[in-house]
Amino acid sequence: MVTERSVGGEQYGRFLVDIFEEWVRHDVGRIFVQLFDVTLHAYFGEYLLCIHSPTCGYGPALNITAICIHVITMSAGLSFGEHQ
């Protein structure tokens, strides 16, 4: 939702850059920022969150009928289950 208190894309981008620069200088290895960690992993082809992945499939998702579809990664393959 956009309100009069919302920031624009450039402002949000600048905020992220400022936070990243501060984190790199002072906090790497001590404080973990999920957005930075998953972005770095995605850069190297390992997708920890669906929003960074070319396809989504390692977590629960709701289909249009609100049925929860669980996809659990198993060493032998994938296991699918569903419930409402």
Side-chain angles (χ1 to χ4, degrees), residues 14-53:
R14 184 73 250 160
F15 167 76
L16 290 177
V17 168
D18 290 346
I19 294 298
F20 179 81
E21 289 174 351
E22 182 71 17
W23 174 75
V24 164
R25 283 190 215 109
H26 304 287
D27 300 317
V28 169
R30 204 170 53 83
I31 295 174
F32 297 91
V33 180
Q34 183 183 39
L35 179 62
F36 302 155
D37 289 342
V38 297
T39 302
L40 181 62
H41 278 269
Y43 180 79
F44 290 104
E46 183 178 332
Y47 305 101
L48 304 178
L49 292 178
C50 270
I51 61 169
H52 292 102
S53 180

Side-chain angles (χ1 to χ4, degrees), residues 34-80:
Q34 183 183 39
L35 179 62
F36 302 155
D37 289 342
V38 297
T39 302
L40 181 62
H41 278 269
Y43 180 79
F44 290 104
E46 183 178 332
Y47 305 101
L48 304 178
L49 292 178
C50 270
I51 61 169
H52 292 102
S53 180
T55 59
C56 209
Y58 295 109
L62 291 179
N63 68 14
I64 197 162
T65 62
I67 295 174
C68 185
I69 302 169
H70 297 274
V71 181
I72 304 166
T73 304
M74 311 279 266
S75 59
L78 295 177
S79 171
F80 297 88

